[in-house]
Amino acid sequence: MSSINVNCTSSWILQNGMATTMLVSLLVMILIYRIQCTETDDRLSALEINEQRLTSSIVTIQHKLLTWNQQHQCVKPVSCLDIYFEDRRNPSGEYIIYQREHAVKVYCSFEGDYGFTYISRKSAEASIDVNALYSTNNFAKIRILKNTGEQREVLVENMLSFQNLSNLHFAINSHDGYKGPSPDSGLQPYLFLGFLPIKLSENRNSQGYRAKDMDFTFVNCDGNPNSYITFFFNPKHASPGSLGSANDFMTHWITSSTAIDYPQYMDSSFYMDWEMHMGGCGGFLTSNVLNIKAALGLPFAIPKV
């Protein structure tokens, strides 16, 4: 796993180590002096005076140490963008970010003008602020893990005809304004990728999604307002069931994906069980049908230097 704040951490160890050594040395001096100076009251009085001076020095050192720590406090990253700003040479890879005092394991993929944040299933118990992990919801990236071990990826968006009406919706354990998964599946928590909100998807018209710059559509025959893919952390290892049909429309985002170079492969802990639901007459599909896991990449813009 990549590390960050090395310089800050090293300085902290150096400064605190030196101060701690000084404090210990002073305390040892007091102890030795007390042992040697037990013969006369005069020496004890001198010891008490010197002990007061040493105590004052210790307090001064402690105050200076506290001030230094406050001035040089290491700021914990809350997003992949923070990690990028920490050192623009940081490579794509696994990192730890901190949200609401929880450590969250992520994979940061830095890709030119944009990067993508992937959250590990190992962070299922963390309190995650998804809004801090992306800067645009015009598109998202989905990575795919096949049962052969091959990893692929695809960029997904709303259909061109809906892009002026609605952006994608990212959330964790919620789907406000969207139809979502059953709360009784036993697979929670989950990451939610919504395409069309209920107010748009309840119409009986052409709907769908866009993948690799191509629209894939169906006609919502009964106005059932499902338009999402859900990615389950599934910490209890429950079965998502082998439900649905792998028709062409429901699998185009998979078949249109492109291979990822092996050095950029993610650990399997970032890939999740998922379900996809479209319509009314689009389809319903779970990951078990295809024996394929998937990971949602949340996009963030990388500022130009």
mmCIF file of all heavy atoms in Angstrom, residues 114-145:
data_model
loop_
_atom_site.group_PDB
_atom_site.id
_atom_site.type_symbol
_atom_site.label_atom_id
_atom_site.label_comp_id
_atom_site.label_asym_id
_atom_site.label_seq_id
_atom_site.Cartn_x
_atom_site.Cartn_y
_atom_site.Cartn_z
ATOM 1 N N TYR A 114 -8.718 13.411 -15.270
ATOM 2 C CA TYR A 114 -9.619 12.907 -14.233
ATOM 3 C C TYR A 114 -8.994 11.710 -13.525
ATOM 4 O O TYR A 114 -8.131 11.019 -14.067
ATOM 5 C CB TYR A 114 -10.973 12.491 -14.832
ATOM 6 C CG TYR A 114 -11.848 13.665 -15.196
ATOM 7 C CD1 TYR A 114 -11.801 14.219 -16.471
ATOM 8 C CD2 TYR A 114 -12.706 14.238 -14.258
ATOM 9 C CE1 TYR A 114 -12.584 15.307 -16.815
ATOM 10 C CE2 TYR A 114 -13.498 15.328 -14.585
ATOM 11 C CZ TYR A 114 -13.437 15.859 -15.862
ATOM 12 O OH TYR A 114 -14.212 16.943 -16.187
ATOM 13 N N GLY A 115 -9.479 11.505 -12.315
ATOM 14 C CA GLY A 115 -9.130 10.309 -11.571
ATOM 15 C C GLY A 115 -10.412 9.635 -11.119
ATOM 16 O O GLY A 115 -11.514 10.199 -11.245
ATOM 17 N N PHE A 116 -10.278 8.428 -10.571
ATOM 18 C CA PHE A 116 -11.447 7.682 -10.113
ATOM 19 C C PHE A 116 -11.139 7.037 -8.765
ATOM 20 O O PHE A 116 -10.047 6.502 -8.556
ATOM 21 C CB PHE A 116 -11.842 6.610 -11.136
ATOM 22 C CG PHE A 116 -12.282 7.187 -12.454
ATOM 23 C CD1 PHE A 116 -11.352 7.451 -13.452
ATOM 24 C CD2 PHE A 116 -13.609 7.499 -12.677
ATOM 25 C CE1 PHE A 116 -11.739 8.009 -14.661
ATOM 26 C CE2 PHE A 116 -14.013 8.056 -13.882
ATOM 27 C CZ PHE A 116 -13.075 8.314 -14.878
ATOM 28 N N THR A 117 -12.112 7.114 -7.871
ATOM 29 C CA THR A 117 -11.985 6.543 -6.533
ATOM 30 C C THR A 117 -12.809 5.272 -6.442
ATOM 31 O O THR A 117 -14.015 5.284 -6.714
ATOM 32 C CB THR A 117 -12.477 7.533 -5.462
ATOM 33 O OG1 THR A 117 -11.750 8.755 -5.568
ATOM 34 C CG2 THR A 117 -12.289 6.946 -4.068
ATOM 35 N N TYR A 118 -12.163 4.184 -6.046
ATOM 36 C CA TYR A 118 -12.837 2.903 -5.834
ATOM 37 C C TYR A 118 -12.733 2.557 -4.351
ATOM 38 O O TYR A 118 -11.658 2.677 -3.759
ATOM 39 C CB TYR A 118 -12.195 1.800 -6.672
ATOM 40 C CG TYR A 118 -12.259 2.045 -8.162
ATOM 41 C CD1 TYR A 118 -11.273 2.784 -8.811
ATOM 42 C CD2 TYR A 118 -13.308 1.543 -8.924
ATOM 43 C CE1 TYR A 118 -11.329 3.023 -10.175
ATOM 44 C CE2 TYR A 118 -13.371 1.773 -10.295
ATOM 45 C CZ TYR A 118 -12.376 2.513 -10.913
ATOM 46 O OH TYR A 118 -12.432 2.747 -12.268
ATOM 47 N N ILE A 119 -13.827 2.134 -3.754
ATOM 48 C CA ILE A 119 -13.869 1.838 -2.322
ATOM 49 C C ILE A 119 -13.811 0.330 -2.111
ATOM 50 O O ILE A 119 -14.502 -0.428 -2.789
ATOM 51 C CB ILE A 119 -15.146 2.410 -1.684
ATOM 52 C CG1 ILE A 119 -15.244 3.916 -1.960
ATOM 53 C CG2 ILE A 119 -15.160 2.149 -0.178
ATOM 54 C CD1 ILE A 119 -16.571 4.521 -1.534
ATOM 55 N N SER A 120 -13.002 -0.091 -1.156
ATOM 56 C CA SER A 120 -12.845 -1.513 -0.875
ATOM 57 C C SER A 120 -14.015 -2.057 -0.055
ATOM 58 O O SER A 120 -14.567 -1.366 0.806
ATOM 59 C CB SER A 120 -11.540 -1.753 -0.112
ATOM 60 O OG SER A 120 -11.456 -3.088 0.347
ATOM 61 N N ARG A 121 -14.354 -3.307 -0.310
ATOM 62 C CA ARG A 121 -15.360 -3.986 0.510
ATOM 63 C C ARG A 121 -14.920 -4.072 1.970
ATOM 64 O O ARG A 121 -15.746 -4.206 2.873
ATOM 65 C CB ARG A 121 -15.615 -5.393 -0.031
ATOM 66 C CG ARG A 121 -16.420 -5.427 -1.314
ATOM 67 C CD ARG A 121 -16.736 -6.847 -1.752
ATOM 68 N NE ARG A 121 -15.567 -7.512 -2.318
ATOM 69 C CZ ARG A 121 -14.886 -8.476 -1.733
ATOM 70 N NH1 ARG A 121 -15.236 -8.899 -0.516
ATOM 71 N NH2 ARG A 121 -13.841 -9.037 -2.325
ATOM 72 N N LYS A 122 -13.608 -3.995 2.212
ATOM 73 C CA LYS A 122 -13.091 -4.076 3.578
ATOM 74 C C LYS A 122 -13.468 -2.854 4.412
ATOM 75 O O LYS A 122 -13.286 -2.858 5.627
ATOM 76 C CB LYS A 122 -11.571 -4.241 3.544
ATOM 77 C CG LYS A 122 -11.119 -5.559 2.930
ATOM 78 C CD LYS A 122 -9.607 -5.689 2.920
ATOM 79 C CE LYS A 122 -9.168 -7.023 2.318
ATOM 80 N NZ LYS A 122 -7.686 -7.166 2.290
ATOM 81 N N SER A 123 -13.982 -1.814 3.758
ATOM 82 C CA SER A 123 -14.400 -0.600 4.471
ATOM 83 C C SER A 123 -15.910 -0.553 4.657
ATOM 84 O O SER A 123 -16.497 0.522 4.793
ATOM 85 C CB SER A 123 -13.918 0.642 3.716
ATOM 86 O OG SER A 123 -12.507 0.697 3.688
ATOM 87 N N ALA A 124 -16.538 -1.713 4.694
ATOM 88 C CA ALA A 124 -17.999 -1.783 4.800
ATOM 89 C C ALA A 124 -18.522 -1.142 6.078
ATOM 90 O O ALA A 124 -19.637 -0.615 6.108
ATOM 91 C CB ALA A 124 -18.461 -3.239 4.726
ATOM 92 N N GLU A 125 -17.722 -1.167 7.149
ATOM 93 C CA GLU A 125 -18.189 -0.644 8.432
ATOM 94 C C GLU A 125 -17.873 0.839 8.607
ATOM 95 O O GLU A 125 -18.280 1.447 9.597
ATOM 96 C CB GLU A 125 -17.550 -1.441 9.577
ATOM 97 C CG GLU A 125 -17.832 -2.941 9.530
ATOM 98 C CD GLU A 125 -19.321 -3.254 9.574
ATOM 99 O OE1 GLU A 125 -20.047 -2.562 10.311
ATOM 100 O OE2 GLU A 125 -19.751 -4.180 8.856
ATOM 101 N N ALA A 126 -17.144 1.422 7.684
ATOM 102 C CA ALA A 126 -16.751 2.830 7.811
ATOM 103 C C ALA A 126 -17.916 3.754 7.471
ATOM 104 O O ALA A 126 -18.818 3.400 6.711
ATOM 105 C CB ALA A 126 -15.564 3.127 6.903
ATOM 106 N N SER A 127 -17.886 4.936 8.061
ATOM 107 C CA SER A 127 -18.866 5.973 7.733
ATOM 108 C C SER A 127 -18.288 6.808 6.594
ATOM 109 O O SER A 127 -17.333 7.563 6.789
ATOM 110 C CB SER A 127 -19.138 6.846 8.962
ATOM 111 O OG SER A 127 -20.049 7.873 8.649
ATOM 112 N N ILE A 128 -18.851 6.657 5.404
ATOM 113 C CA ILE A 128 -18.255 7.228 4.196
ATOM 114 C C ILE A 128 -19.103 8.372 3.654
ATOM 115 O O ILE A 128 -20.316 8.234 3.497
ATOM 116 C CB ILE A 128 -18.093 6.140 3.112
ATOM 117 C CG1 ILE A 128 -17.192 5.013 3.634
ATOM 118 C CG2 ILE A 128 -17.520 6.730 1.832
ATOM 119 C CD1 ILE A 128 -17.126 3.810 2.715
ATOM 120 N N ASP A 129 -18.453 9.490 3.374
ATOM 121 C CA ASP A 129 -19.099 10.626 2.726
ATOM 122 C C ASP A 129 -18.783 10.549 1.234
ATOM 123 O O ASP A 129 -17.723 10.994 0.789
ATOM 124 C CB ASP A 129 -18.594 11.935 3.327
ATOM 125 C CG ASP A 129 -19.215 13.161 2.653
ATOM 126 O OD1 ASP A 129 -20.175 12.987 1.877
ATOM 127 O OD2 ASP A 129 -18.724 14.279 2.905
ATOM 128 N N VAL A 130 -19.693 9.980 0.474
ATOM 129 C CA VAL A 130 -19.464 9.796 -0.956
ATOM 130 C C VAL A 130 -19.263 11.131 -1.662
ATOM 131 O O VAL A 130 -18.476 11.242 -2.610
ATOM 132 C CB VAL A 130 -20.641 9.016 -1.588
ATOM 133 C CG1 VAL A 130 -20.536 9.011 -3.108
ATOM 134 C CG2 VAL A 130 -20.660 7.587 -1.072
ATOM 135 N N ASN A 131 -19.948 12.173 -1.197
ATOM 136 C CA ASN A 131 -19.864 13.477 -1.863
ATOM 137 C C ASN A 131 -18.447 14.042 -1.875
ATOM 138 O O ASN A 131 -18.116 14.870 -2.729
ATOM 139 C CB ASN A 131 -20.808 14.475 -1.193
ATOM 140 C CG ASN A 131 -22.270 14.117 -1.388
ATOM 141 O OD1 ASN A 131 -22.648 13.589 -2.433
ATOM 142 N ND2 ASN A 131 -23.090 14.386 -0.392
ATOM 143 N N ALA A 132 -17.617 13.604 -0.929
ATOM 144 C CA ALA A 132 -16.236 14.095 -0.872
ATOM 145 C C ALA A 132 -15.330 13.366 -1.854
ATOM 146 O O ALA A 132 -14.170 13.750 -2.021
ATOM 147 C CB ALA A 132 -15.688 13.941 0.548
ATOM 148 N N LEU A 133 -15.854 12.336 -2.521
ATOM 149 C CA LEU A 133 -15.013 11.482 -3.351
ATOM 150 C C LEU A 133 -15.141 11.758 -4.845
ATOM 151 O O LEU A 133 -14.429 11.157 -5.640
ATOM 152 C CB LEU A 133 -15.341 10.009 -3.072
ATOM 153 C CG LEU A 133 -15.190 9.563 -1.615
ATOM 154 C CD1 LEU A 133 -15.492 8.076 -1.487
ATOM 155 C CD2 LEU A 133 -13.803 9.876 -1.082
ATOM 156 N N TYR A 134 -16.046 12.645 -5.240
ATOM 157 C CA TYR A 134 -16.174 12.955 -6.667
ATOM 158 C C TYR A 134 -16.409 14.451 -6.850
ATOM 159 O O TYR A 134 -16.883 15.145 -5.947
ATOM 160 C CB TYR A 134 -17.309 12.151 -7.309
ATOM 161 C CG TYR A 134 -18.701 12.517 -6.851
ATOM 162 C CD1 TYR A 134 -19.447 13.489 -7.519
ATOM 163 C CD2 TYR A 134 -19.294 11.886 -5.758
ATOM 164 C CE1 TYR A 134 -20.724 13.826 -7.109
ATOM 165 C CE2 TYR A 134 -20.571 12.214 -5.335
ATOM 166 C CZ TYR A 134 -21.278 13.182 -6.018
ATOM 167 O OH TYR A 134 -22.543 13.520 -5.605
ATOM 168 N N SER A 135 -16.065 14.947 -8.040
ATOM 169 C CA SER A 135 -16.267 16.366 -8.344
ATOM 170 C C SER A 135 -17.195 16.568 -9.537
ATOM 171 O O SER A 135 -17.559 17.697 -9.851
ATOM 172 C CB SER A 135 -14.923 17.049 -8.614
ATOM 173 O OG SER A 135 -14.293 16.498 -9.758
ATOM 174 N N THR A 136 -17.547 15.494 -10.206
ATOM 175 C CA THR A 136 -18.516 15.560 -11.299
ATOM 176 C C THR A 136 -19.342 14.287 -11.290
ATOM 177 O O THR A 136 -18.854 13.222 -10.893
ATOM 178 C CB THR A 136 -17.823 15.708 -12.669
ATOM 179 O OG1 THR A 136 -18.818 15.739 -13.709
ATOM 180 C CG2 THR A 136 -16.873 14.553 -12.943
ATOM 181 N N ASN A 137 -20.594 14.402 -11.686
ATOM 182 C CA ASN A 137 -21.434 13.207 -11.844
ATOM 183 C C ASN A 137 -21.998 13.129 -13.259
ATOM 184 O O ASN A 137 -23.084 12.609 -13.487
ATOM 185 C CB ASN A 137 -22.556 13.169 -10.803
ATOM 186 C CG ASN A 137 -23.403 14.435 -10.793
ATOM 187 O OD1 ASN A 137 -23.126 15.398 -11.513
ATOM 188 N ND2 ASN A 137 -24.436 14.437 -9.973
ATOM 189 N N ASN A 138 -21.226 13.650 -14.197
ATOM 190 C CA ASN A 138 -21.602 13.524 -15.607
ATOM 191 C C ASN A 138 -21.319 12.122 -16.138
ATOM 192 O O ASN A 138 -21.916 11.699 -17.132
ATOM 193 C CB ASN A 138 -20.845 14.543 -16.460
ATOM 194 C CG ASN A 138 -21.288 15.967 -16.188
ATOM 195 O OD1 ASN A 138 -22.438 16.203 -15.818
ATOM 196 N ND2 ASN A 138 -20.386 16.917 -16.354
ATOM 197 N N PHE A 139 -20.402 11.431 -15.488
ATOM 198 C CA PHE A 139 -20.030 10.090 -15.937
ATOM 199 C C PHE A 139 -19.438 9.331 -14.754
ATOM 200 O O PHE A 139 -19.159 9.899 -13.689
ATOM 201 C CB PHE A 139 -19.013 10.153 -17.087
ATOM 202 C CG PHE A 139 -17.782 10.958 -16.754
ATOM 203 C CD1 PHE A 139 -16.691 10.377 -16.123
ATOM 204 C CD2 PHE A 139 -17.718 12.315 -17.066
ATOM 205 C CE1 PHE A 139 -15.563 11.120 -15.812
ATOM 206 C CE2 PHE A 139 -16.593 13.062 -16.758
ATOM 207 C CZ PHE A 139 -15.512 12.464 -16.128
ATOM 208 N N ALA A 140 -19.251 8.045 -14.940
ATOM 209 C CA ALA A 140 -18.596 7.199 -13.942
ATOM 210 C C ALA A 140 -17.835 6.119 -14.692
ATOM 211 O O ALA A 140 -18.040 5.912 -15.890
ATOM 212 C CB ALA A 140 -19.617 6.579 -12.991
ATOM 213 N N LYS A 141 -16.958 5.455 -13.986
ATOM 214 C CA LYS A 141 -16.246 4.331 -14.594
ATOM 215 C C LYS A 141 -16.578 3.074 -13.800
ATOM 216 O O LYS A 141 -16.629 3.095 -12.566
ATOM 217 C CB LYS A 141 -14.737 4.569 -14.610
ATOM 218 C CG LYS A 141 -13.951 3.470 -15.329
ATOM 219 C CD LYS A 141 -12.502 3.876 -15.563
ATOM 220 C CE LYS A 141 -12.375 4.802 -16.752
ATOM 221 N NZ LYS A 141 -10.964 5.034 -17.159
ATOM 222 N N ILE A 142 -16.831 1.999 -14.516
ATOM 223 C CA ILE A 142 -17.076 0.709 -13.871
ATOM 224 C C ILE A 142 -15.956 -0.239 -14.270
ATOM 225 O O ILE A 142 -15.660 -0.403 -15.459
ATOM 226 C CB ILE A 142 -18.437 0.112 -14.279
ATOM 227 C CG1 ILE A 142 -19.573 1.061 -13.888
ATOM 228 C CG2 ILE A 142 -18.637 -1.246 -13.612
ATOM 229 C CD1 ILE A 142 -20.947 0.570 -14.321
ATOM 230 N N ARG A 143 -15.329 -0.830 -13.266
ATOM 231 C CA ARG A 143 -14.343 -1.879 -13.523
ATOM 232 C C ARG A 143 -15.002 -3.240 -13.331
ATOM 233 O O ARG A 143 -15.876 -3.403 -12.476
ATOM 234 C CB ARG A 143 -13.140 -1.733 -12.597
ATOM 235 C CG ARG A 143 -12.219 -0.572 -12.969
ATOM 236 C CD ARG A 143 -10.871 -0.712 -12.298
ATOM 237 N NE ARG A 143 -9.916 0.298 -12.733
ATOM 238 C CZ ARG A 143 -8.605 0.219 -12.534
ATOM 239 N NH1 ARG A 143 -8.092 -0.836 -11.902
ATOM 240 N NH2 ARG A 143 -7.797 1.167 -12.954
ATOM 241 N N ILE A 144 -14.561 -4.192 -14.109
ATOM 242 C CA ILE A 144 -15.182 -5.514 -14.155
ATOM 243 C C ILE A 144 -14.130 -6.573 -13.875
ATOM 244 O O ILE A 144 -13.019 -6.520 -14.425
ATOM 245 C CB ILE A 144 -15.818 -5.748 -15.544
ATOM 246 C CG1 ILE A 144 -16.920 -4.713 -15.800
ATOM 247 C CG2 ILE A 144 -16.355 -7.169 -15.676
ATOM 248 C CD1 ILE A 144 -17.178 -4.461 -17.263
ATOM 249 N N LEU A 145 -14.467 -7.519 -13.006
ATOM 250 C CA LEU A 145 -13.584 -8.648 -12.707
ATOM 251 C C LEU A 145 -14.259 -9.927 -13.188
ATOM 252 O O LEU A 145 -15.281 -10.351 -12.647
ATOM 253 C CB LEU A 145 -13.304 -8.735 -11.205
ATOM 254 C CG LEU A 145 -12.497 -9.952 -10.736
ATOM 255 C CD1 LEU A 145 -11.102 -9.966 -11.359
ATOM 256 C CD2 LEU A 145 -12.407 -9.982 -9.210
#
